[in-house]
Amino acid sequence: MALRNDLRMISASDDSAKMMKQVLANHAPAGHEVDVRPILSIIEDIFRRATATPSNIDGVPNGKREHMDALHDNKSLAAFSTPEPLSDIIHKICCEISCKGGGDALATTMALFKTLSSYSWDAKMVLSLAAFAVNYGEFWLVAQLCTQNSLANSVAVLKQLPEIPTGYDALKPQFDELNNLIGAMLDLTNCIVEFKQLPSRYISNDGKAMSMDQDHYHAAYWTFRSIVACNSRILSFRGLYTPSTTHELELSTLTYKVSNIHVSENLTKQIEFWRQQIDKIRQIKEYNNLVRILGKHNRDNIKVLRALIYAEDLVDGETRTTVQIHVLKKKHVLLLISRPDDISQEEILFLSNMYKDLKESKECRIVWLPIVDGSIDRQQALDKFKNLQKRMPWYSIQDPAMIQPAVIKYVKEEWKYSKKAIIVSVDPQGRILNQNAFHTLWIWGISAFPFTAETEEALWKEKPWTLELLVGDIDATILEWMKEERFICLYGGNDEAWIRKFRNSAKDVASKAQINWGMAYVGKKNAKKRLEEISSSITKTESSHIVIDATKMWFFWARLERMLYWKLQHGMGKTQETARAKGTAAIDCMEKFHEWQDDALRNGFIQALNNYLQKIHPGKHCNRLILAGVNGAIPGTVQCADCGRDMEMFFMYHCCPE
């Protein structure tokens, strides 16, 4: 109750409209611009080093260590550029708060406003705190050294300082109150300084801005009152002033009041509001600028790259050294865009194998632009980025934070980036040739350089959609079978019982049909451990060829997925004669070969197989086609592989860790 009564007593006299009117009457900024942040850092350093502890160990008032930076001993106010010597105004304020002692606190407070009338609110608060820090620092400098230094001891005697090191326990409650109030003043001052340093051109002159201005002079007033009270407490230690019971309560009351302005009056929330508003405005401007730069005809790729990267230096993945962005000048650049979690080790391996040829034969470079979600812990995201960066032989930025929000918005909205890695092709003049060349690279490799839509279409017209194109260099045995003109059966999955049954029945059919037959197990995309067990079982029976390992299997399915996506988008490319079946249908057609054996003799094996599959196809079916990691335009319509009707589109969220 004592605190509340004292608060009401102070508030009644200090928060009156008349008092605030006097404060505003003494506020007439005259263009005295002061760089207050470095001064505030020195103030904080003084309070930190001067905080009382039994062993005179450095501490921080009220545990506010987050505000304080350790400063070198050679700091000086002379290093700051100001229109007038700050030492003069600081000395004048020191006299104001010291010479008048613990007398009329209100009168001393108003005198400070007159002395600092030509300064902004934040400068008033910082300069007044600087003056008190000088007094406080001098007090503690002598108090801490008086038992070790003869000069300090003599000064302490003349100043009539108490023997603080030996009488610390008795004075501790008073020091605690003092330090609590100092901590509250620093918090409030930092808040006002932070708002003042926000770009004023972005802050509209509305109710919120007017409210903040009112908060500023309230903050300045109660900071001055607190400084006067704190200095009176210091004087009381020297016996120059004897506080009354009211003044004994005043420090705690002022701590409550100052903290209340900082917290209850929503200063922090208002600053956060304006910071968010400014960020939004900046991001809109940066985004529009990005659209303008990337949308016009450029002659220099460096201008485009700078707009995306916001950095002059890159990390060379081969030498692990820092290089300037100009190493990319007049080079063809592939921008690899992904989150650290969204690019697989297999994709990195694929690009690494291709990168040497891209560099040597095509004067092409890859640059990784990592997209990091702001909701993820900063250090965690940085660790993931660094670990992945070590595995990449190409260029990358030094820190994911260099990719600005406007750039992230652009790659999502304009280049349709969403979760899965994309590769954007940029020519030496800075023109965007392909918003996602990853599919093209995966299917055609460097033969599709410079990865334009025209080059890709020409390749599809030139080469048919064949098994050779699908397998590529993934498996040499299958390519050899094609030269031998074998019938090739690719089968997969991770159901060992089904695999065994299908494999045996298919071998029996090949024997009865007297065809040159080759079977290759291609596994499944994301089931490495299980596939290793199945592959081992197949190897023991020597009943089928196996695509070498789980990684090669992954490449096979990834390549098939990208080819399927491209075909759904463009519908180009001629196909070989093929047949396909799922699950029980695949086994049924093998086990009942006798029902379509004659048809195979008349019309050929593949045609007869398709005829039989069509015959046994049930009227009711439920097919699902999953296009994992589709970036860019989604196919408008996709026909069902079984009945030919347009499939319905749904969204699916899928998690299937190995």
Side-chain angles (χ1 to χ4, degrees):
M1 288 300 294
L3 178 61
R4 291 184 178 179
N5 291 335
D6 194 43
L7 179 61
R8 282 196 293 268
M9 179 181 67
I10 292 179
S11 298
S13 59
D14 292 296
D15 272 342
S16 66
K18 181 179 179 181
M19 184 61 66
M20 289 302 121
K21 188 175 181 179
Q22 291 180 25
V23 169
L24 292 175
N26 285 292
H27 180 62
H32 287 193
E33 294 296 329
V34 180
D35 185 7
V36 297
R37 182 57 74 182
I39 303 174
L40 188 56
S41 294
I42 292 180
I43 294 169
E44 291 175 324
D45 189 60
I46 290 173
F47 287 135
R48 177 172 63 84
R49 297 178 187 278
T51 300
T53 61
S55 57
N56 291 330
I57 298 174
D58 288 347
V60 182
N62 206 22
K64 303 299 181 182
R65 188 172 299 277
E66 65 270 18
H67 291 309
M68 306 203 177
D69 298 319
L71 301 179
H72 295 296
D73 293 334
N74 60 355
K75 292 283 186 181
S76 68
L77 288 177
F80 306 126
S81 175
T82 56
E84 65 179 73
L86 288 177
S87 57
D88 291 349
I89 190 69
I90 290 174
H91 177 70
K92 188 173 183 180
I93 299 169
C94 285
C95 293
E96 290 281 356
I97 62 177
S98 297
C99 297
K100 294 183 179 180
D104 191 339
L106 292 178
T108 304
T109 298
M110 296 312 299
L112 292 180
F113 275 107
K114 289 181 181 179
T115 300
L116 293 167
S117 61
S118 60
Y119 293 90
S120 60
W121 295 115
D122 62 317
K124 292 181 200 291
M125 295 172 68
V126 171
L127 292 175
S128 61
L129 268 177
F132 172 62
V134 169
N135 286 351
Y136 190 68
E138 287 178 349
F139 170 82
W140 273 110
L141 189 62
V142 174
Q144 290 179 359
L145 295 176
C146 65
T147 59
Q148 308 168 29
N149 184 284
S150 298
L151 176 60
N153 181 261
S154 298
V155 172
V157 171
L158 291 178
K159 284 182 171 285
Q160 298 181 355
L161 294 181
E163 294 183 1
I164 292 176
T166 58
Y168 174 80
D169 290 340
L171 295 172
K172 184 178 184 302
Q174 298 183 59
F175 286 135
D176 288 344
E177 286 187 347
L178 191 63
N179 291 334
N180 288 339
L181 183 51
I182 290 172
M185 287 192 293
L186 287 174
D187 283 342
L188 182 57
T189 302
N190 268 291
C191 192
I192 298 300
V193 168
E194 185 177 359
F195 179 81
K196 177 66 176 179
Q197 292 181 341
L198 294 175
S200 58
R201 64 183 180 278
Y202 294 126
I203 300 177
S204 59
N205 189 24
D206 59 8
K208 286 184 178 293
M210 296 295 289
S211 175
M212 281 298 295
D213 192 55
Q214 184 178 19
D215 291 335
H216 285 185
Y217 66 74
H218 271 117
Y221 176 82
W222 286 105
T223 298
F224 285 9
R225 283 284 280 113
S226 299
I227 287 171
V228 173
C230 287
N231 203 74
S232 297
R233 177 59 59 89
I234 297 299
L235 293 176
S236 73
F237 292 148
R238 295 168 54 189
L240 300 178
Y241 164 66
T242 303
S244 64
T245 304
T246 300
H247 287 106
E248 288 293 339
L249 290 171
E250 191 177 29
L251 292 190
S252 296
T253 305
L254 288 170
T255 300
Y256 179 86
K257 181 64 179 179
V258 171
S259 299
N260 191 58
I261 295 174
H262 181 221
V263 179
S264 299
E265 296 187 13
N266 296 321
L267 281 178
T268 303
K269 288 183 179 179
Q270 291 190 48
I271 288 175
E272 183 60 27
F273 167 81
W274 285 112
R275 186 186 292 112
Q276 290 176 359
Q277 293 298 109
I278 291 169
D279 284 345
K280 287 179 182 178
I281 295 171
R282 282 176 171 169
Q283 287 180 31
I284 291 172
K285 288 186 175 181
E286 290 170 0
Y287 180 83
N288 291 336
N289 185 54
L290 202 57
V291 171
R292 180 182 60 81
I293 291 174
L294 297 180
K296 70 178 185 179
H297 180 71
N298 295 293
R299 296 182 179 180
D300 183 6
N301 64 345
I302 297 299
K303 184 177 182 180
V304 170
L305 295 174
R306 278 181 174 151
L308 292 167
I309 297 174
Y310 281 72
E312 287 297 317
D313 295 327
L314 299 171
V315 176
D316 187 335
E318 292 183 329
T319 63
R320 302 299 168 191
T321 58
T322 301
V323 297
Q324 290 191 335
I325 196 172
H326 278 278
V327 299
L328 302 174
K329 192 174 181 65
K330 300 303 180 183
K331 298 285 194 303
H332 194 106
V333 177
L334 298 179
L335 299 175
L336 172 61
I337 301 173
S338 78
R339 297 191 312 172
D341 291 336
D342 291 339
I343 184 167
S344 67
Q345 298 302 319
E346 291 83 1
E347 287 171 321
I348 293 175
L349 177 60
F350 167 77
L351 291 174
S352 298
N353 292 336
M354 193 178 296
Y355 187 52
K356 184 178 180 181
D357 289 339
L358 282 171
K359 285 184 65 177
E360 294 178 355
S361 63
K362 305 298 183 183
E363 280 295 302
C364 182
R365 303 292 186 270
I366 296 177
V367 180
W368 181 36
L369 304 187
I371 305 298
V372 174
D373 190 340
S375 63
I376 300 175
D377 176 73
R378 157 76 176 162
Q379 190 58 49
Q380 181 184 1
L382 190 60
D383 290 342
K384 286 184 178 180
F385 163 75
K386 293 292 184 183
N387 289 334
L388 207 57
Q389 187 184 46
K390 293 175 183 176
R391 300 184 177 96
M392 296 178 171
W394 44 80
Y395 296 106
S396 59
I397 61 175
Q398 296 186 38
D399 191 316
M402 293 177 177
I403 305 299
Q404 300 297 310
V407 176
I408 295 175
K409 178 183 178 183
Y410 185 89
V411 301
K412 288 182 177 180
E413 294 187 1
E414 301 296 328
W415 293 343
K416 311 304 179 186
Y417 165 75
S418 176
K419 302 283 185 172
K420 290 293 183 179
I422 64 172
I423 291 180
V424 178
S425 179
V426 184
D427 75 2
Q429 287 72 47
R431 293 174 298 185
I432 308 301
L433 302 182
N434 194 329
Q435 293 182 3
N436 188 7
F438 216 150
H439 300 303
T440 307
L441 269 169
W442 206 274
I443 299 169
W444 301 105
I446 64 173
S447 62
F449 184 87
F451 314 110
T452 62
E454 293 77 14
T455 303
E456 191 171 21
E457 287 179 10
L459 288 170
W460 277 110
K461 290 178 180 178
E462 178 184 340
K463 295 184 179 181
W465 181 288
T466 63
L467 185 59
E468 181 181 7
L469 180 62
L470 172 60
V471 173
D473 59 356
I474 295 174
D475 189 271
T477 300
I478 296 176
L479 295 179
E480 189 63 31
W481 287 349
M482 295 185 69
K483 292 178 183 178
E484 297 171 0
E485 297 186 349
R486 290 196 189 190
F487 287 89
I488 299 173
C489 175
L490 304 180
Y491 66 102
N494 59 357
D495 183 338
E496 192 168 357
W498 181 92
I499 290 171
R500 187 183 304 108
K501 191 172 183 180
F502 172 76
R503 189 175 64 234
N504 293 335
S505 59
K507 285 179 63 180
D508 187 52
V509 167
S511 176
K512 291 177 180 178
Q514 297 182 347
I515 58 175
N516 193 7
W517 179 261
M519 294 186 69
Y521 176 66
V522 294
K524 194 176 180 180
K525 186 177 180 182
N526 292 316
K528 287 186 178 180
K529 292 182 179 179
R530 180 63 179 144
L531 295 182
E532 290 173 0
E533 297 172 0
I534 296 173
S535 298
S536 177
S537 174
I538 295 174
T539 302
K540 289 178 182 178
T541 62
E542 298 183 357
S543 56
S544 175
H545 172 64
I546 304 170
V547 172
I548 300 174
D549 56 32
T551 300
K552 289 285 188 178
M553 291 178 184
W554 187 95
F555 275 108
F556 172 85
W557 289 103
R559 190 178 178 88
L560 178 61
E561 185 179 277
R562 283 167 170 78
M563 291 177 72
L564 176 61
Y565 171 75
W566 205 97
K567 192 168 180 66
L568 287 171
Q569 288 281 6
H570 304 281
M572 303 183 72
K574 301 175 182 178
T575 59
Q576 291 176 308
E577 188 179 21
T578 59
R580 65 175 189 83
K582 298 181 296 183
T584 55
I587 293 177
D588 285 347
C589 67
M590 294 293 107
E591 291 182 339
K592 297 178 181 179
F593 175 64
H594 59 278
E595 295 185 16
W596 54 278
Q597 186 172 7
D598 291 341
D599 191 18
L601 291 173
R602 290 192 303 270
N603 299 310
F605 186 82
I606 298 298
Q607 181 62 51
L609 177 56
N610 278 323
N611 291 341
Y612 185 76
L613 288 171
Q614 184 68 28
K615 177 182 176 182
I616 66 173
H617 186 274
K620 294 182 178 180
H621 60 278
C622 183
N623 279 348
R624 295 182 296 274
L625 173 65
I626 301 174
L627 300 176
V630 169
N631 291 309
I634 299 173
T637 59
V638 176
Q639 282 73 43
C640 174
D642 288 321
C643 66
R645 288 181 293 187
D646 288 348
M647 301 177 75
E648 292 183 80
M649 183 184 294
F650 293 88
F651 290 100
M652 183 181 76
Y653 299 91
H654 183 57
C655 179
C656 187
E658 186 179 338

